[in-house]
Amino acid sequence: AGCIWSKLGAALLVPVTGVVGRAVTLGADVPPGFQVRDAIWRYLAPAEELVATYFRGSAETLYQSRFYGRSRLHGNLTLEISPVELGDSGTFSALLVNTRGQTETRVLHLAVYEVVSRLTLQVFTSESSRSGSARVCEVFLTCVAAGGTNVTYSWDRTDGEVLSMDKHSLFEAGLVLWAKLDPSDRQVSYTCTAANAVSRELATIAPWEHCQREAGMSCFTHLPCPAQCPATWHEPMAQLSAARRQCPGDGFCGRAFTFDTRFATM
């Protein structure tokens, strides 16, 4: 065992990416001329388990592990897991023994992701100042994916202009975009991109139309709101938090837009 673990420590760690619900293959990468007599596939972390073996021409995968019934050993000693589950992430090793008793070790780290799906955009608006027709409108755009793991969020203007720091701020690791708009921004749209290592989804919205409201109105309501939404705020995140607190549960102050991202504006 000590010799095996010393070889594992020296082996190159190969990254492999899997998607929940799909198949993933872990390659043994047998060297040319290396005539394999035996092979042992193990799941090392977070807990060690025997997954598959190959002894003198006979393959076996019916071991009591988390992969029982989902593993298959191919003729080239590639290990296939199907369907992959989120909890399958971890480190695998393949110990190869040739007909001369020489060994080769492969170590692979499987990272499993859930595909990003169904983005929800929410709009919170407040009028920060009014001077005749030159109205300034502050908006918060929130973007949340219903599905997906290790999701990162980013925002862009669809006209290609860079988000200027004097009129835009990002909060909560990109889930929230604050923007200060004026009438010249009537046609401006913003796109939220939610992405991880295996997928990417986008949804787009034009926020200016949500600034069109009567004086004194501070927000649109998606569901009946039992309290008057605050008319003014002084600090961006305090403003957003106040709006969210007005209505219990899902009945927050703000108009919700849910996109099936297959049809969202790209």
Side-chain angles (χ1 to χ4, degrees):
C3 292
I4 293 176
W5 279 106
S6 66
K7 285 183 174 292
L8 286 178
L12 177 66
L13 185 65
V14 178
V16 179
T17 300
V19 179
V20 171
R22 302 178 188 175
V24 67
T25 56
L26 307 172
D29 191 21
V30 179
F34 192 89
Q35 296 181 330
V36 177
R37 183 190 69 197
D38 305 320
I40 302 173
W41 274 99
R42 289 187 177 93
Y43 183 57
L44 300 180
E48 183 171 350
E49 298 177 342
L50 183 61
V51 181
T53 58
Y54 175 86
F55 291 123
R56 291 174 171 81
S58 178
E60 180 61 73
T61 59
L62 298 178
Y63 295 101
Q64 290 298 324
S65 73
R66 66 171 292 110
F67 306 101
Y68 181 84
R70 298 189 292 125
S71 59
R72 177 187 176 192
L73 195 60
H74 292 269
N76 62 357
L77 300 180
T78 292
L79 179 65
E80 178 181 335
I81 306 295
S82 179
V84 174
E85 299 174 358
L86 198 59
D88 293 342
S89 293
T91 304
F92 293 76
S93 76
L95 176 64
L96 310 177
V97 183
N98 70 6
T99 53
R100 300 173 60 185
Q102 297 172 322
T103 62
E104 289 277 344
T105 303
R106 303 289 179 260
V107 183
L108 306 92
H109 181 77
L110 173 62
V112 180
Y113 295 85
E114 183 182 48
V115 170
V116 176
S117 62
R118 198 169 178 82
L119 299 186
T120 297
L121 298 183
Q122 297 168 348
V123 183
F124 299 85
T125 65
S126 72
E127 187 177 308
S128 61
S129 64
R130 176 187 290 272
S131 177
S133 60
R135 184 168 67 183
V136 175
C137 177
E138 294 183 38
V139 297
F140 287 92
L141 307 178
T142 69
C143 182
V144 178
T149 50
N150 297 96
V151 181
T152 60
Y153 295 87
S154 61
W155 292 87
D156 298 285
R157 285 172 55 127
T158 55
D159 59 7
E161 288 193 20
V162 177
L163 301 183
S164 58
M165 296 184 64
D166 59 325
K167 297 181 66 176
H168 303 86
S169 293
L170 291 172
F171 300 94
E172 299 184 14
L175 273 76
V176 179
L177 172 68
W178 169 81
K180 182 181 290 187
L181 307 175
D182 58 47
S184 66
D185 298 312
R186 293 178 186 275
Q187 305 301 319
V188 172
S189 295
Y190 293 88
T191 295
C192 169
T193 301
N196 62 13
V198 298
S199 58
R200 179 172 177 262
E201 294 292 348
L202 302 91
T204 299
I205 195 166
W208 177 258
E209 62 182 274
H210 306 291
C211 295
Q212 308 307 303
R213 62 191 186 282
E214 297 178 4
M217 295 291 290
S218 58
C219 67
F220 293 93
T221 54
H222 166 51
L223 295 173
C225 184
Q228 176 62 33
C229 298
T232 58
W233 293 273
H234 302 289
E235 196 277 324
M237 287 310 295
Q239 170 180 337
L240 182 61
S241 297
R244 285 172 166 169
R245 285 197 301 268
Q246 290 302 305
C247 308
D250 292 329
F252 47 80
C253 295
R255 178 171 292 167
F257 295 85
T258 301
F259 292 83
D260 179 336
T261 51
R262 290 174 298 175
F263 304 101
T265 304
M266 304 299 283

PDB file of all heavy atoms in Angstrom, residues 215-254:
ATOM      1  N   ALA A 215     -45.466  60.677  -9.921  1.00  0.00           N
ATOM      2  CA  ALA A 215     -44.656  61.210  -8.822  1.00  0.00           C
ATOM      3  C   ALA A 215     -45.119  60.608  -7.506  1.00  0.00           C
ATOM      4  O   ALA A 215     -46.308  60.458  -7.244  1.00  0.00           O
ATOM      5  CB  ALA A 215     -44.774  62.735  -8.773  1.00  0.00           C
ATOM      6  N   GLY A 216     -44.168  60.254  -6.673  1.00  0.00           N
ATOM      7  CA  GLY A 216     -44.494  59.695  -5.366  1.00  0.00           C
ATOM      8  C   GLY A 216     -44.507  58.180  -5.359  1.00  0.00           C
ATOM      9  O   GLY A 216     -44.349  57.584  -4.304  1.00  0.00           O
ATOM     10  N   MET A 217     -44.700  57.564  -6.531  1.00  0.00           N
ATOM     11  CA  MET A 217     -44.634  56.109  -6.593  1.00  0.00           C
ATOM     12  C   MET A 217     -43.158  55.705  -6.549  1.00  0.00           C
ATOM     13  O   MET A 217     -42.331  56.308  -7.206  1.00  0.00           O
ATOM     14  CB  MET A 217     -45.272  55.594  -7.878  1.00  0.00           C
ATOM     15  CG  MET A 217     -46.773  55.862  -7.960  1.00  0.00           C
ATOM     16  SD  MET A 217     -47.688  54.872  -6.780  1.00  0.00           S
ATOM     17  CE  MET A 217     -47.494  53.262  -7.515  1.00  0.00           C
ATOM     18  N   SER A 218     -42.872  54.706  -5.769  1.00  0.00           N
ATOM     19  CA  SER A 218     -41.471  54.340  -5.585  1.00  0.00           C
ATOM     20  C   SER A 218     -41.124  52.985  -6.170  1.00  0.00           C
ATOM     21  O   SER A 218     -39.969  52.647  -6.267  1.00  0.00           O
ATOM     22  CB  SER A 218     -41.112  54.342  -4.097  1.00  0.00           C
ATOM     23  OG  SER A 218     -41.956  53.450  -3.412  1.00  0.00           O
ATOM     24  N   CYS A 219     -42.125  52.194  -6.506  1.00  0.00           N
ATOM     25  CA  CYS A 219     -41.812  50.888  -7.068  1.00  0.00           C
ATOM     26  C   CYS A 219     -43.037  50.306  -7.743  1.00  0.00           C
ATOM     27  O   CYS A 219     -44.150  50.788  -7.558  1.00  0.00           O
ATOM     28  CB  CYS A 219     -41.314  49.923  -5.989  1.00  0.00           C
ATOM     29  SG  CYS A 219     -42.580  49.496  -4.790  1.00  0.00           S
ATOM     30  N   PHE A 220     -42.811  49.298  -8.536  1.00  0.00           N
ATOM     31  CA  PHE A 220     -43.895  48.511  -9.098  1.00  0.00           C
ATOM     32  C   PHE A 220     -44.072  47.290  -8.214  1.00  0.00           C
ATOM     33  O   PHE A 220     -43.119  46.821  -7.601  1.00  0.00           O
ATOM     34  CB  PHE A 220     -43.553  48.054 -10.516  1.00  0.00           C
ATOM     35  CG  PHE A 220     -43.465  49.185 -11.494  1.00  0.00           C
ATOM     36  CD1 PHE A 220     -42.243  49.786 -11.759  1.00  0.00           C
ATOM     37  CD2 PHE A 220     -44.592  49.645 -12.148  1.00  0.00           C
ATOM     38  CE1 PHE A 220     -42.147  50.816 -12.672  1.00  0.00           C
ATOM     39  CE2 PHE A 220     -44.504  50.675 -13.063  1.00  0.00           C
ATOM     40  CZ  PHE A 220     -43.277  51.270 -13.324  1.00  0.00           C
ATOM     41  N   THR A 221     -45.258  46.770  -8.134  1.00  0.00           N
ATOM     42  CA  THR A 221     -45.461  45.574  -7.321  1.00  0.00           C
ATOM     43  C   THR A 221     -45.790  44.389  -8.210  1.00  0.00           C
ATOM     44  O   THR A 221     -46.668  44.453  -9.073  1.00  0.00           O
ATOM     45  CB  THR A 221     -46.600  45.773  -6.303  1.00  0.00           C
ATOM     46  OG1 THR A 221     -47.768  46.195  -6.985  1.00  0.00           O
ATOM     47  CG2 THR A 221     -46.209  46.809  -5.274  1.00  0.00           C
ATOM     48  N   HIS A 222     -45.067  43.327  -7.976  1.00  0.00           N
ATOM     49  CA  HIS A 222     -45.288  42.079  -8.712  1.00  0.00           C
ATOM     50  C   HIS A 222     -46.494  41.352  -8.110  1.00  0.00           C
ATOM     51  O   HIS A 222     -47.299  40.773  -8.815  1.00  0.00           O
ATOM     52  CB  HIS A 222     -44.029  41.227  -8.614  1.00  0.00           C
ATOM     53  CG  HIS A 222     -44.195  39.804  -9.019  1.00  0.00           C
ATOM     54  ND1 HIS A 222     -44.758  39.424 -10.211  1.00  0.00           N
ATOM     55  CD2 HIS A 222     -43.878  38.655  -8.383  1.00  0.00           C
ATOM     56  CE1 HIS A 222     -44.771  38.119 -10.295  1.00  0.00           C
ATOM     57  NE2 HIS A 222     -44.258  37.624  -9.191  1.00  0.00           N
ATOM     58  N   LEU A 223     -46.622  41.392  -6.797  1.00  0.00           N
ATOM     59  CA  LEU A 223     -47.748  40.837  -6.071  1.00  0.00           C
ATOM     60  C   LEU A 223     -48.269  41.922  -5.123  1.00  0.00           C
ATOM     61  O   LEU A 223     -47.568  42.892  -4.847  1.00  0.00           O
ATOM     62  CB  LEU A 223     -47.317  39.595  -5.270  1.00  0.00           C
ATOM     63  CG  LEU A 223     -46.864  38.404  -6.110  1.00  0.00           C
ATOM     64  CD1 LEU A 223     -46.315  37.309  -5.206  1.00  0.00           C
ATOM     65  CD2 LEU A 223     -48.007  37.867  -6.950  1.00  0.00           C
ATOM     66  N   PRO A 224     -49.500  41.785  -4.611  1.00  0.00           N
ATOM     67  CA  PRO A 224     -50.028  42.813  -3.715  1.00  0.00           C
ATOM     68  C   PRO A 224     -49.069  43.106  -2.569  1.00  0.00           C
ATOM     69  O   PRO A 224     -48.571  42.208  -1.907  1.00  0.00           O
ATOM     70  CB  PRO A 224     -51.332  42.186  -3.196  1.00  0.00           C
ATOM     71  CG  PRO A 224     -51.741  41.249  -4.282  1.00  0.00           C
ATOM     72  CD  PRO A 224     -50.461  40.687  -4.827  1.00  0.00           C
ATOM     73  N   CYS A 225     -48.811  44.379  -2.367  1.00  0.00           N
ATOM     74  CA  CYS A 225     -47.859  44.814  -1.354  1.00  0.00           C
ATOM     75  C   CYS A 225     -48.618  45.464  -0.209  1.00  0.00           C
ATOM     76  O   CYS A 225     -49.331  46.442  -0.427  1.00  0.00           O
ATOM     77  CB  CYS A 225     -46.873  45.807  -1.966  1.00  0.00           C
ATOM     78  SG  CYS A 225     -45.570  46.345  -0.856  1.00  0.00           S
ATOM     79  N   PRO A 226     -48.506  44.957   1.016  1.00  0.00           N
ATOM     80  CA  PRO A 226     -49.301  45.474   2.116  1.00  0.00           C
ATOM     81  C   PRO A 226     -48.848  46.819   2.652  1.00  0.00           C
ATOM     82  O   PRO A 226     -49.549  47.446   3.413  1.00  0.00           O
ATOM     83  CB  PRO A 226     -49.142  44.389   3.183  1.00  0.00           C
ATOM     84  CG  PRO A 226     -47.794  43.802   2.900  1.00  0.00           C
ATOM     85  CD  PRO A 226     -47.659  43.833   1.409  1.00  0.00           C
ATOM     86  N   ALA A 227     -47.658  47.247   2.272  1.00  0.00           N
ATOM     87  CA  ALA A 227     -47.146  48.514   2.796  1.00  0.00           C
ATOM     88  C   ALA A 227     -46.709  49.402   1.647  1.00  0.00           C
ATOM     89  O   ALA A 227     -46.343  48.924   0.582  1.00  0.00           O
ATOM     90  CB  ALA A 227     -45.963  48.251   3.737  1.00  0.00           C
ATOM     91  N   GLN A 228     -46.772  50.712   1.859  1.00  0.00           N
ATOM     92  CA  GLN A 228     -46.313  51.649   0.845  1.00  0.00           C
ATOM     93  C   GLN A 228     -44.806  51.508   0.672  1.00  0.00           C
ATOM     94  O   GLN A 228     -44.053  51.533   1.647  1.00  0.00           O
ATOM     95  CB  GLN A 228     -46.641  53.090   1.259  1.00  0.00           C
ATOM     96  CG  GLN A 228     -46.115  54.156   0.309  1.00  0.00           C
ATOM     97  CD  GLN A 228     -46.715  54.023  -1.092  1.00  0.00           C
ATOM     98  OE1 GLN A 228     -47.852  53.627  -1.240  1.00  0.00           O
ATOM     99  NE2 GLN A 228     -45.932  54.344  -2.099  1.00  0.00           N
ATOM    100  N   CYS A 229     -44.355  51.337  -0.548  1.00  0.00           N
ATOM    101  CA  CYS A 229     -42.924  51.194  -0.765  1.00  0.00           C
ATOM    102  C   CYS A 229     -42.226  52.520  -0.489  1.00  0.00           C
ATOM    103  O   CYS A 229     -42.784  53.588  -0.743  1.00  0.00           O
ATOM    104  CB  CYS A 229     -42.651  50.770  -2.204  1.00  0.00           C
ATOM    105  SG  CYS A 229     -43.362  49.170  -2.612  1.00  0.00           S
ATOM    106  N   PRO A 230     -41.024  52.477   0.057  1.00  0.00           N
ATOM    107  CA  PRO A 230     -40.324  53.716   0.393  1.00  0.00           C
ATOM    108  C   PRO A 230     -40.122  54.596  -0.825  1.00  0.00           C
ATOM    109  O   PRO A 230     -39.816  54.121  -1.909  1.00  0.00           O
ATOM    110  CB  PRO A 230     -38.991  53.223   0.964  1.00  0.00           C
ATOM    111  CG  PRO A 230     -38.846  51.825   0.455  1.00  0.00           C
ATOM    112  CD  PRO A 230     -40.221  51.285   0.333  1.00  0.00           C
ATOM    113  N   ALA A 231     -40.276  55.896  -0.645  1.00  0.00           N
ATOM    114  CA  ALA A 231     -40.196  56.840  -1.761  1.00  0.00           C
ATOM    115  C   ALA A 231     -38.760  57.243  -2.061  1.00  0.00           C
ATOM    116  O   ALA A 231     -38.421  57.526  -3.203  1.00  0.00           O
ATOM    117  CB  ALA A 231     -41.020  58.081  -1.456  1.00  0.00           C
ATOM    118  N   THR A 232     -37.917  57.295  -1.046  1.00  0.00           N
ATOM    119  CA  THR A 232     -36.526  57.709  -1.274  1.00  0.00           C
ATOM    120  C   THR A 232     -35.582  56.840  -0.442  1.00  0.00           C
ATOM    121  O   THR A 232     -35.944  56.342   0.618  1.00  0.00           O
ATOM    122  CB  THR A 232     -36.299  59.183  -0.884  1.00  0.00           C
ATOM    123  OG1 THR A 232     -36.642  59.346   0.503  1.00  0.00           O
ATOM    124  CG2 THR A 232     -37.153  60.113  -1.737  1.00  0.00           C
ATOM    125  N   TRP A 233     -34.389  56.694  -0.954  1.00  0.00           N
ATOM    126  CA  TRP A 233     -33.324  56.008  -0.227  1.00  0.00           C
ATOM    127  C   TRP A 233     -32.054  56.819  -0.406  1.00  0.00           C
ATOM    128  O   TRP A 233     -31.956  57.634  -1.310  1.00  0.00           O
ATOM    129  CB  TRP A 233     -33.095  54.608  -0.785  1.00  0.00           C
ATOM    130  CG  TRP A 233     -34.229  53.656  -0.575  1.00  0.00           C
ATOM    131  CD1 TRP A 233     -34.456  52.873   0.511  1.00  0.00           C
ATOM    132  CD2 TRP A 233     -35.284  53.369  -1.493  1.00  0.00           C
ATOM    133  NE1 TRP A 233     -35.580  52.125   0.345  1.00  0.00           N
ATOM    134  CE2 TRP A 233     -36.113  52.401  -0.884  1.00  0.00           C
ATOM    135  CE3 TRP A 233     -35.627  53.830  -2.759  1.00  0.00           C
ATOM    136  CZ2 TRP A 233     -37.243  51.888  -1.490  1.00  0.00           C
ATOM    137  CZ3 TRP A 233     -36.740  53.319  -3.372  1.00  0.00           C
ATOM    138  CH2 TRP A 233     -37.548  52.362  -2.739  1.00  0.00           C
ATOM    139  N   HIS A 234     -31.081  56.564   0.439  1.00  0.00           N
ATOM    140  CA  HIS A 234     -29.842  57.350   0.363  1.00  0.00           C
ATOM    141  C   HIS A 234     -28.621  56.497   0.039  1.00  0.00           C
ATOM    142  O   HIS A 234     -27.618  57.008  -0.415  1.00  0.00           O
ATOM    143  CB  HIS A 234     -29.601  58.082   1.695  1.00  0.00           C
ATOM    144  CG  HIS A 234     -30.729  58.993   2.069  1.00  0.00           C
ATOM    145  ND1 HIS A 234     -30.977  60.176   1.398  1.00  0.00           N
ATOM    146  CD2 HIS A 234     -31.694  58.879   3.013  1.00  0.00           C
ATOM    147  CE1 HIS A 234     -32.037  60.767   1.933  1.00  0.00           C
ATOM    148  NE2 HIS A 234     -32.497  59.994   2.910  1.00  0.00           N
ATOM    149  N   GLU A 235     -28.704  55.217   0.279  1.00  0.00           N
ATOM    150  CA  GLU A 235     -27.570  54.324   0.039  1.00  0.00           C
ATOM    151  C   GLU A 235     -28.067  53.142  -0.773  1.00  0.00           C
ATOM    152  O   GLU A 235     -29.079  52.539  -0.436  1.00  0.00           O
ATOM    153  CB  GLU A 235     -26.990  53.866   1.382  1.00  0.00           C
ATOM    154  CG  GLU A 235     -25.587  53.253   1.290  1.00  0.00           C
ATOM    155  CD  GLU A 235     -25.639  51.795   0.893  1.00  0.00           C
ATOM    156  OE1 GLU A 235     -26.575  51.108   1.315  1.00  0.00           O
ATOM    157  OE2 GLU A 235     -24.738  51.358   0.157  1.00  0.00           O
ATOM    158  N   PRO A 236     -27.383  52.821  -1.872  1.00  0.00           N
ATOM    159  CA  PRO A 236     -27.927  51.839  -2.812  1.00  0.00           C
ATOM    160  C   PRO A 236     -28.381  50.522  -2.213  1.00  0.00           C
ATOM    161  O   PRO A 236     -29.518  50.103  -2.428  1.00  0.00           O
ATOM    162  CB  PRO A 236     -26.753  51.635  -3.784  1.00  0.00           C
ATOM    163  CG  PRO A 236     -26.022  52.920  -3.768  1.00  0.00           C
ATOM    164  CD  PRO A 236     -26.122  53.406  -2.352  1.00  0.00           C
ATOM    165  N   MET A 237     -27.545  49.838  -1.448  1.00  0.00           N
ATOM    166  CA  MET A 237     -27.953  48.538  -0.944  1.00  0.00           C
ATOM    167  C   MET A 237     -29.013  48.652   0.134  1.00  0.00           C
ATOM    168  O   MET A 237     -29.852  47.772   0.297  1.00  0.00           O
ATOM    169  CB  MET A 237     -26.736  47.758  -0.420  1.00  0.00           C
ATOM    170  CG  MET A 237     -25.839  47.251  -1.547  1.00  0.00           C
ATOM    171  SD  MET A 237     -26.753  46.374  -2.860  1.00  0.00           S
ATOM    172  CE  MET A 237     -27.340  44.951  -1.961  1.00  0.00           C
ATOM    173  N   ALA A 238     -29.001  49.752   0.886  1.00  0.00           N
ATOM    174  CA  ALA A 238     -30.070  49.973   1.865  1.00  0.00           C
ATOM    175  C   ALA A 238     -31.394  50.147   1.139  1.00  0.00           C
ATOM    176  O   ALA A 238     -32.445  49.680   1.581  1.00  0.00           O
ATOM    177  CB  ALA A 238     -29.761  51.206   2.712  1.00  0.00           C
ATOM    178  N   GLN A 239     -31.348  50.811  -0.016  1.00  0.00           N
ATOM    179  CA  GLN A 239     -32.543  51.004  -0.834  1.00  0.00           C
ATOM    180  C   GLN A 239     -33.108  49.666  -1.288  1.00  0.00           C
ATOM    181  O   GLN A 239     -34.303  49.378  -1.153  1.00  0.00           O
ATOM    182  CB  GLN A 239     -32.177  51.866  -2.038  1.00  0.00           C
ATOM    183  CG  GLN A 239     -33.251  51.952  -3.105  1.00  0.00           C
ATOM    184  CD  GLN A 239     -32.803  52.813  -4.261  1.00  0.00           C
ATOM    185  OE1 GLN A 239     -31.935  53.652  -4.116  1.00  0.00           O
ATOM    186  NE2 GLN A 239     -33.396  52.604  -5.410  1.00  0.00           N
ATOM    187  N   LEU A 240     -32.238  48.805  -1.803  1.00  0.00           N
ATOM    188  CA  LEU A 240     -32.695  47.523  -2.301  1.00  0.00           C
ATOM    189  C   LEU A 240     -33.229  46.655  -1.162  1.00  0.00           C
ATOM    190  O   LEU A 240     -34.268  46.024  -1.282  1.00  0.00           O
ATOM    191  CB  LEU A 240     -31.554  46.799  -3.008  1.00  0.00           C
ATOM    192  CG  LEU A 240     -31.902  45.441  -3.619  1.00  0.00           C
ATOM    193  CD1 LEU A 240     -32.988  45.594  -4.672  1.00  0.00           C
ATOM    194  CD2 LEU A 240     -30.664  44.801  -4.209  1.00  0.00           C
ATOM    195  N   SER A 241     -32.521  46.651  -0.031  1.00  0.00           N
ATOM    196  CA  SER A 241     -32.970  45.866   1.115  1.00  0.00           C
ATOM    197  C   SER A 241     -34.325  46.350   1.611  1.00  0.00           C
ATOM    198  O   SER A 241     -35.193  45.556   1.971  1.00  0.00           O
ATOM    199  CB  SER A 241     -31.938  45.953   2.245  1.00  0.00           C
ATOM    200  OG  SER A 241     -30.704  45.391   1.844  1.00  0.00           O
ATOM    201  N   ALA A 242     -34.523  47.674   1.624  1.00  0.00           N
ATOM    202  CA  ALA A 242     -35.802  48.226   2.066  1.00  0.00           C
ATOM    203  C   ALA A 242     -36.926  47.785   1.143  1.00  0.00           C
ATOM    204  O   ALA A 242     -38.017  47.421   1.587  1.00  0.00           O
ATOM    205  CB  ALA A 242     -35.727  49.749   2.123  1.00  0.00           C
ATOM    206  N   ALA A 243     -36.669  47.788  -0.153  1.00  0.00           N
ATOM    207  CA  ALA A 243     -37.692  47.367  -1.107  1.00  0.00           C
ATOM    208  C   ALA A 243     -38.045  45.901  -0.914  1.00  0.00           C
ATOM    209  O   ALA A 243     -39.203  45.514  -0.960  1.00  0.00           O
ATOM    210  CB  ALA A 243     -37.212  47.606  -2.533  1.00  0.00           C
ATOM    211  N   ARG A 244     -37.029  45.085  -0.662  1.00  0.00           N
ATOM    212  CA  ARG A 244     -37.274  43.658  -0.495  1.00  0.00           C
ATOM    213  C   ARG A 244     -38.061  43.358   0.777  1.00  0.00           C
ATOM    214  O   ARG A 244     -38.770  42.371   0.853  1.00  0.00           O
ATOM    215  CB  ARG A 244     -35.945  42.901  -0.462  1.00  0.00           C
ATOM    216  CG  ARG A 244     -35.283  42.755  -1.831  1.00  0.00           C
ATOM    217  CD  ARG A 244     -33.906  42.170  -1.678  1.00  0.00           C
ATOM    218  NE  ARG A 244     -33.373  41.709  -2.966  1.00  0.00           N
ATOM    219  CZ  ARG A 244     -32.110  41.352  -3.149  1.00  0.00           C
ATOM    220  NH1 ARG A 244     -31.263  41.398  -2.156  1.00  0.00           N
ATOM    221  NH2 ARG A 244     -31.696  40.948  -4.330  1.00  0.00           N
ATOM    222  N   ARG A 245     -37.903  44.224   1.782  1.00  0.00           N
ATOM    223  CA  ARG A 245     -38.558  43.975   3.066  1.00  0.00           C
ATOM    224  C   ARG A 245     -40.031  44.350   3.072  1.00  0.00           C
ATOM    225  O   ARG A 245     -40.759  43.984   3.982  1.00  0.00           O
ATOM    226  CB  ARG A 245     -37.848  44.750   4.183  1.00  0.00           C
ATOM    227  CG  ARG A 245     -36.526  44.150   4.617  1.00  0.00           C
ATOM    228  CD  ARG A 245     -36.120  44.714   5.965  1.00  0.00           C
ATOM    229  NE  ARG A 245     -35.999  46.162   5.937  1.00  0.00           N
ATOM    230  CZ  ARG A 245     -34.860  46.806   5.682  1.00  0.00           C
ATOM    231  NH1 ARG A 245     -33.765  46.117   5.418  1.00  0.00           N
ATOM    232  NH2 ARG A 245     -34.818  48.117   5.683  1.00  0.00           N
ATOM    233  N   GLN A 246     -40.479  45.108   2.090  1.00  0.00           N
ATOM    234  CA  GLN A 246     -41.831  45.641   2.137  1.00  0.00           C
ATOM    235  C   GLN A 246     -42.903  44.556   2.093  1.00  0.00           C
ATOM    236  O   GLN A 246     -43.941  44.678   2.700  1.00  0.00           O
ATOM    237  CB  GLN A 246     -42.064  46.630   0.990  1.00  0.00           C
ATOM    238  CG  GLN A 246     -41.301  47.940   1.159  1.00  0.00           C
ATOM    239  CD  GLN A 246     -41.660  48.638   2.448  1.00  0.00           C
ATOM    240  OE1 GLN A 246     -42.828  48.898   2.704  1.00  0.00           O
ATOM    241  NE2 GLN A 246     -40.674  48.917   3.275  1.00  0.00           N
ATOM    242  N   CYS A 247     -42.655  43.526   1.359  1.00  0.00           N
ATOM    243  CA  CYS A 247     -43.658  42.475   1.192  1.00  0.00           C
ATOM    244  C   CYS A 247     -43.085  41.151   1.656  1.00  0.00           C
ATOM    245  O   CYS A 247     -41.948  40.823   1.322  1.00  0.00           O
ATOM    246  CB  CYS A 247     -44.072  42.352  -0.276  1.00  0.00           C
ATOM    247  SG  CYS A 247     -44.579  43.912  -1.019  1.00  0.00           S
ATOM    248  N   PRO A 248     -43.837  40.383   2.415  1.00  0.00           N
ATOM    249  CA  PRO A 248     -43.337  39.089   2.895  1.00  0.00           C
ATOM    250  C   PRO A 248     -43.268  38.062   1.782  1.00  0.00           C
ATOM    251  O   PRO A 248     -43.968  38.151   0.776  1.00  0.00           O
ATOM    252  CB  PRO A 248     -44.377  38.693   3.949  1.00  0.00           C
ATOM    253  CG  PRO A 248     -45.643  39.350   3.471  1.00  0.00           C
ATOM    254  CD  PRO A 248     -45.209  40.662   2.861  1.00  0.00           C
ATOM    255  N   GLY A 249     -42.440  37.078   1.992  1.00  0.00           N
ATOM    256  CA  GLY A 249     -42.356  35.975   1.029  1.00  0.00           C
ATOM    257  C   GLY A 249     -41.950  36.458  -0.341  1.00  0.00           C
ATOM    258  O   GLY A 249     -40.995  37.196  -0.506  1.00  0.00           O
ATOM    259  N   ASP A 250     -42.712  36.028  -1.340  1.00  0.00           N
ATOM    260  CA  ASP A 250     -42.388  36.407  -2.716  1.00  0.00           C
ATOM    261  C   ASP A 250     -43.036  37.722  -3.126  1.00  0.00           C
ATOM    262  O   ASP A 250     -42.871  38.183  -4.247  1.00  0.00           O
ATOM    263  CB  ASP A 250     -42.847  35.309  -3.685  1.00  0.00           C
ATOM    264  CG  ASP A 250     -42.038  34.038  -3.511  1.00  0.00           C
ATOM    265  OD1 ASP A 250     -40.862  34.159  -3.140  1.00  0.00           O
ATOM    266  OD2 ASP A 250     -42.597  32.952  -3.733  1.00  0.00           O
ATOM    267  N   GLY A 251     -43.815  38.333  -2.242  1.00  0.00           N
ATOM    268  CA  GLY A 251     -44.519  39.549  -2.616  1.00  0.00           C
ATOM    269  C   GLY A 251     -43.707  40.795  -2.383  1.00  0.00           C
ATOM    270  O   GLY A 251     -44.117  41.707  -1.685  1.00  0.00           O
ATOM    271  N   PHE A 252     -42.507  40.831  -2.950  1.00  0.00           N
ATOM    272  CA  PHE A 252     -41.640  41.980  -2.738  1.00  0.00           C
ATOM    273  C   PHE A 252     -42.009  43.127  -3.669  1.00  0.00           C
ATOM    274  O   PHE A 252     -42.750  42.959  -4.634  1.00  0.00           O
ATOM    275  CB  PHE A 252     -40.178  41.580  -2.962  1.00  0.00           C
ATOM    276  CG  PHE A 252     -39.975  40.795  -4.220  1.00  0.00           C
ATOM    277  CD1 PHE A 252     -39.907  41.430  -5.444  1.00  0.00           C
ATOM    278  CD2 PHE A 252     -39.873  39.413  -4.172  1.00  0.00           C
ATOM    279  CE1 PHE A 252     -39.741  40.705  -6.601  1.00  0.00           C
ATOM    280  CE2 PHE A 252     -39.700  38.682  -5.336  1.00  0.00           C
ATOM    281  CZ  PHE A 252     -39.636  39.325  -6.550  1.00  0.00           C
ATOM    282  N   CYS A 253     -41.475  44.294  -3.364  1.00  0.00           N
ATOM    283  CA  CYS A 253     -41.707  45.462  -4.218  1.00  0.00           C
ATOM    284  C   CYS A 253     -40.765  45.390  -5.410  1.00  0.00           C
ATOM    285  O   CYS A 253     -39.560  45.466  -5.265  1.00  0.00           O
ATOM    286  CB  CYS A 253     -41.462  46.755  -3.448  1.00  0.00           C
ATOM    287  SG  CYS A 253     -42.632  46.994  -2.105  1.00  0.00           S
ATOM    288  N   GLY A 254     -41.300  45.274  -6.551  1.00  0.00           N
ATOM    289  CA  GLY A 254     -40.493  45.147  -7.755  1.00  0.00           C
ATOM    290  C   GLY A 254     -41.241  44.293  -8.752  1.00  0.00           C
ATOM    291  O   GLY A 254     -42.067  43.474  -8.376  1.00  0.00           O
TER     292      GLY A 254
END
